[in-house]
Structures are given as structure tokens and as C-alpha cells.
Amino acid sequence: MTKLYGAIEAGGTKFVCAVADENLNIVERVSIPTTVPEETMSDVFKFFEKHEVQAIGIASFGPIDVNRKSSTYGYLTNTPKPGWKNYDFLGEMKKRFDVPYAWTTDVNGAAYGELKKGAALGKDSCVYLTVGTGIGGGVVINGKVIEGYGHPEIGHIIMRRHPEDKYEGKCPFHHDCLEGLAAGPAIEARQGGVKAYDIPKDDKAWEIVAYYLAQACVDLTLTLSPEKIIFGGGVSKQEQLFPMIRESFKKQMNDYVPTPDLDDYIVHVELGDDAGITGCFLLAMEAE
Ligand code: ADP
Ligand code: ZN
């Protein structure tokens, strides 16, 4: 009999739930708006009541508790999203479906999907960075997603400022961290509210963004030494950023450590919107 697996990519805007067989052929996939837990989760439960799955992989927006020693393991923690703060996501799933679970961040899920089926296929390590409304980073090293006391929060690493950047930064916690300087809303605020996709491709704004993203790549290279750094999210649709990030990376790294050829090292996501759900299925299969 065909074994089925479940996947939930839980985002701040929508939850994607899917069921697939062991070859990743999708049996059913739905998108559920993220409103309040009572509403959204009720639809999630209904979806999984229709399918008998061996295991479920969940990759969730956060912050989430991934520390197995913690009494709130499986909870969403400090999210500003109304109703979701301290919600016992994993616990509520387990109450209804008694199967093995994989539980990690949305970006770790995407990183894992890209490693096994996407841009980092054949590698053992990668970092996945999404640059959109916020910046989030997932890390896989030696084939395992990285979690420790908590999970990586690469979007909030502290930045050395671009010498010509006078923008104060948008992060409510740190002002000028990576997300505060280079996520979509920061890019738009720096330009006085011009939509990011309306900023001309040769505008100085992109050089500044590339400088910060390159700086993050330098820090990630120095700390983790991954085989690939993969960019996704709305801002990464600005293809002109990639050569600029590579060039700035080269300058900032100043040949200190060897890296793969930069054209193969700093790359665009390959699975696009399917990275997260793919990662969830693969993690579910391993959790079984
Ligand atoms: P989310 O992060 O909410 O999941 P996105 O990754 O699409 O969704 O991020 C939305 C942000 O990305 C917006 O703030 C916008 O500034 C920026 N963005 C979306 N599309 C583009 C684009 N084509 N070019 C530049 N920036 C974009
Ligand atoms: Zn921050």
C-alpha cells in the first residue's frame, strides 16, 4: 500500500497543507488563510482528517520553540500575530493525529527542501535566506537542520553600516540589523515609500541592499562554511542583486577564506514556493 505523508508550511499570511506519497507526488494540497488559530487550525484538522498519513512535517513562522528540553516545545512563542502568541501548535496537532512529527522553522524547512531537491542538490550543507517582508534564514549542516537552544535568527544579525546609508533602520528591536536595513519594508522606507519593484534597477538603493546581503553572506561563510547560500523571497526577484552581492562579497571577504565559485555559491532559490512544503515532506519521512 502506498504510504502517505503530511506537510504544513505555516506562514503569517497562509498555511499550505499537503499530502503526498513517498515519491513526493502530491495527493492533495490546500491553502488556508492565516487568521486566528481557532479558525485556521480547524481547517488544518479537517484537511488531515481526510488522509491517513504516516508522519507530518511542520515548518512554521516564528519565533517558535524548537528546544526539546523546554516545557513549551512546539509552541509559537513571541509572535505579534494576534491569537498565535504562545499557541501550542505541535501539541494541538498531536492531540488529533497520533503520528511522528518533524517540527522546525519555515526557513529551515525551505533550506532542507533546497538541499535535497533544489539549488543545493547533492550537497550536505546550505543556508537559505528569504528576503521579503522580513528576513529569515534556515541552515542545514551535515544534512541536519540547525537548532540549538533556539533556532537561528539570521535576519537580526547586526550590520556594519554602508558608509552612504543614512536610513536609521526599521527593526523595532535593533533598528539597523539585517532585516531592519535590507528587507522589503526597509528598502521602501529608505526610498521615501517607493515600492521596491518600482525602484529603478540601477538605483543606488540596490547597491546598499547588496552590500548588506553580501555582508550577511560573509558572516555566514565565516561562521558556518556552507556549500551554498540560497536567496528566496520577493526582494530576491531583483535579479540584478546577484552579481552585486557576489562582487560586494568578494570585496568584503577580501580573499580571507576560500569559497566555491561565487556564481555557484550565492544563488537563487530553485524550488520557489515549493521549497518549504518539499522540506516538510522529507523531514516527515525522516521522522517516521
Ligand atoms: P512575505 O515575506 O510576506 O512572505 P514576499 O517574500 O513576497 O512575501 O515579500 C514581500 C516584500 O518583498 C514586500 O515588502 C516588497 O517590498 C518586496 N517585494 C515583493 N516583490 C518584489 C519585487 N518583484 N521586487 C522587489 N521587491 C519585492
Ligand atoms: Zn532586528
Side-chain angles (χ1 to χ4, degrees), residues 108-121:
N108 268 344
Y112 201 67
E114 285 292 324
L115 183 89
K116 294 289 183 182
K117 299 282 173 191
L121 186 67

Side-chain angles (χ1 to χ4, degrees), residues 39-142:
E39 228 172 54
T40 303
M41 292 306 291
S42 148
D43 286 349
V44 171
F45 302 147
K46 276 185 210 145
F47 176 77
F48 284 104
E49 276 159 16
K50 292 195 283 175
H51 304 276
E52 197 170 320
V53 295
Q54 303 292 317
I56 300 176
I58 307 174
S60 176
F61 72 108
I64 63 174
D65 190 338
V66 294
N67 185 338
R68 287 175 191 273
K69 295 176 193 141
S70 155
S71 59
T72 53
Y73 174 75
Y75 282 54
L76 279 135
T77 57
N78 206 14
T79 171
K81 188 110 188 132
W84 294 93
K85 191 177 167 141
N86 301 326
Y87 178 70
D88 183 9
F89 190 160
L90 185 59
E92 293 296 329
M93 287 298 296
K94 283 183 172 169
K95 265 193 221 164
R96 285 158 185 89
F97 309 102
D98 183 20
V99 294
Y101 285 88
W103 165 252
T104 194
T105 59
D106 46 5
V107 278
N108 268 344
Y112 201 67
E114 285 292 324
L115 183 89
K116 294 289 183 182
K117 299 282 173 191
L121 186 67
K123 309 285 182 214
D124 297 311
S125 59
C126 72
V127 174
Y128 170 82
L129 286 174
T130 177
V131 188
T133 307
I135 296 183
V139 184
V140 187
I141 299 288
N142 295 333

Side-chain angles (χ1 to χ4, degrees), residues 157-228:
I157 58 179
I158 303 306
M159 291 277 111
R160 175 161 65 193
R161 297 184 65 101
H162 186 287
E164 290 166 63
D165 183 17
K166 300 290 176 277
Y167 176 58
E168 70 273 19
K170 210 174 169 54
C171 174
F173 296 95
H174 319 109
H175 306 293
D176 54 359
C177 61
L178 177 61
E179 176 173 302
L181 292 169
I187 297 170
E188 294 173 355
R190 181 182 288 112
Q191 299 304 104
V194 180
K195 288 286 167 209
Y197 46 77
D198 285 335
I199 300 170
K201 308 244 179 274
D202 57 356
D203 196 288
K204 178 93 186 169
W206 298 118
E207 186 204 307
I208 291 174
V209 173
Y211 172 85
Y212 292 127
L213 296 177
Q215 192 180 145
C217 292
V218 168
D219 290 351
L220 292 164
T221 302
L222 295 172
T223 49
L224 299 168
S225 205
E227 289 159 283
K228 288 261 181 197

